[in-house]
Amino acid sequence: MEMLTALTWVSTSGSIGGLQSPHSSDRMFLWAGSKATDGRSDRSSFYQKFREYDVLDKRKTMTALRAGEDRAILLGLSMVVFSVMMYFVLGITILRSYSDSVWTDEASCTIVNSTIVGDVNCSYSCGSECRKSSRYPCLQVYVSLNSSGKVLRLLHNEETQDSNPECFYFPKCRKDYAATHLIVQNISEHLRSQHTVQCFVDPTDRIDSAILTQIYGRVAVFHSLFWPTCTLIVGTIIIAMVKLTQYLSIMCERQSRIKK
């Protein structure tokens, strides 16, 4: 419409008093055509700039998404590696100690005797290359199984069997013998007041002793397996979700290209 209006104006203004000036309409037609061409070029440049901005915005969005996906995958891999390391460490310490222990059955025991029978020599550190000798009282405790009436020697835990199986408790060797003797005496009086305690025995009866506490019991084994397993599952889910998101994004992009 703009071009037609310009051409009409040219035809009316090109004749003066019934006389038409030569080449006037051609010049005005060229002027109108150049004006329309300039408008089209302005529009095309505007759309081109808009498309460039749109492409840049999409690139920024894709860059941010890729950075977030990389961080998520790194987090998931870190959790998986951490859980595997925890399985390895806990398998060497807790699970191995629990599996090697022979005192697995829990039983009710009655304290039969709890007395200090003598002293045991020990040594303690007094410096980087210094060792001095001392001693600690040996406390012997005997219990009777309420289920069978069998009398067994009671030990504190599995480590006592390896250090000194004749004594119930293996205290830290100290310079002050009186302080160590007081600690062992208090333990003896506490066991006498308990009368009945829960102990752990060997179900095969190959060892004639029982222990009062386990270093690593079933609760410790459960936690040592539960938390690394949870970490492994969460890390695997994070990696799977990121990969699924990337796959769906690729499929949506392909579908959009097919529609275009």
Side-chain angles (χ1 to χ4, degrees):
M1 291 298 292
E2 182 181 357
M3 185 179 294
L4 291 175
T5 306
L7 291 173
T8 306
W9 181 79
V10 168
S11 62
T12 55
S13 62
S15 59
I16 302 173
L19 297 176
Q20 186 174 3
S21 63
H23 309 293
S24 61
S25 60
D26 295 337
R27 291 176 183 174
M28 298 305 294
F29 176 75
L30 291 174
W31 173 79
S34 63
K35 186 177 180 180
T37 306
D38 293 339
R40 290 179 182 177
S41 62
D42 292 340
R43 290 180 182 177
S44 62
S45 62
F46 172 75
Y47 287 126
Q48 186 176 2
K49 290 181 179 179
F50 180 76
R51 289 176 182 175
E52 289 178 357
Y53 288 141
D54 190 19
V55 171
L56 290 175
D57 191 19
K58 287 183 178 179
R59 287 180 181 176
K60 290 180 180 179
T61 305
M62 291 299 295
T63 304
L65 289 175
R66 288 176 182 175
E69 290 172 353
D70 293 341
R71 293 192 186 99
I73 291 177
L74 182 61
L75 175 63
L77 289 175
S78 300
M79 295 178 70
V80 171
V81 172
F82 177 74
S83 63
V84 172
M85 292 177 61
M86 290 298 294
Y87 276 128
F88 180 74
V89 172
L90 296 176
I92 292 177
T93 56
I94 297 179
L95 295 180
R96 186 176 179 180
S97 176
Y98 180 78
S99 61
D100 291 343
S101 177
V102 297
W103 297 277
T104 55
D105 285 358
E106 189 174 1
S108 178
C109 302
T110 301
I111 302 296
V112 177
N113 188 16
S114 176
T115 55
I116 296 175
V117 295
D119 295 333
V120 179
N121 295 325
C122 63
S123 62
Y124 64 93
S125 176
C126 56
S128 58
E129 296 181 357
C130 175
R131 303 288 297 182
K132 288 187 177 182
S133 61
S134 183
R135 54 199 177 93
Y136 66 89
C138 178
L139 173 65
Q140 285 188 351
V141 181
Y142 289 91
V143 294
S144 173
L145 298 179
N146 294 339
S147 58
S148 61
K150 186 178 180 179
V151 178
L152 301 174
R153 181 186 290 112
L154 184 66
L155 305 177
H156 182 230
N157 51 34
E158 294 92 342
E159 290 182 350
T160 312
Q161 177 70 24
D162 300 330
S163 357
N164 189 357
E166 297 296 326
C167 303
F168 167 77
Y169 180 63
F170 181 74
K172 183 179 179 181
C173 191
R174 299 180 181 181
K175 180 180 179 180
D176 189 0
Y177 172 78
T180 307
H181 188 277
L182 180 62
I183 293 172
V184 175
Q185 185 67 34
N186 291 336
I187 293 173
S188 177
E189 292 177 358
H190 178 71
L191 290 174
R192 289 175 184 175
S193 62
Q194 291 287 325
H195 186 65
T196 302
V197 294
Q198 293 297 119
C199 60
F200 296 90
V201 297
D202 181 13
T204 60
D205 292 334
R206 290 181 299 178
I207 299 179
D208 58 348
S209 61
I211 60 174
L212 184 63
T213 59
Q214 292 177 321
I215 297 177
Y216 301 112
R218 295 178 181 177
V219 177
V221 172
F222 170 76
H223 285 288
S224 66
L225 294 176
F226 176 75
W227 295 112
T229 303
C230 290
T231 307
L232 178 63
I233 293 174
V234 172
T236 306
I237 291 175
I238 290 174
I239 296 174
M241 291 296 290
V242 172
K243 291 298 181 181
L244 179 61
T245 303
Q246 292 177 347
Y247 174 75
L248 293 177
S249 177
I250 294 172
M251 293 300 295
C252 291
E253 187 176 356
R254 289 180 181 177
Q255 291 293 330
S256 62
R257 288 179 180 178
I258 292 172
K259 289 181 181 180
K260 289 180 180 179

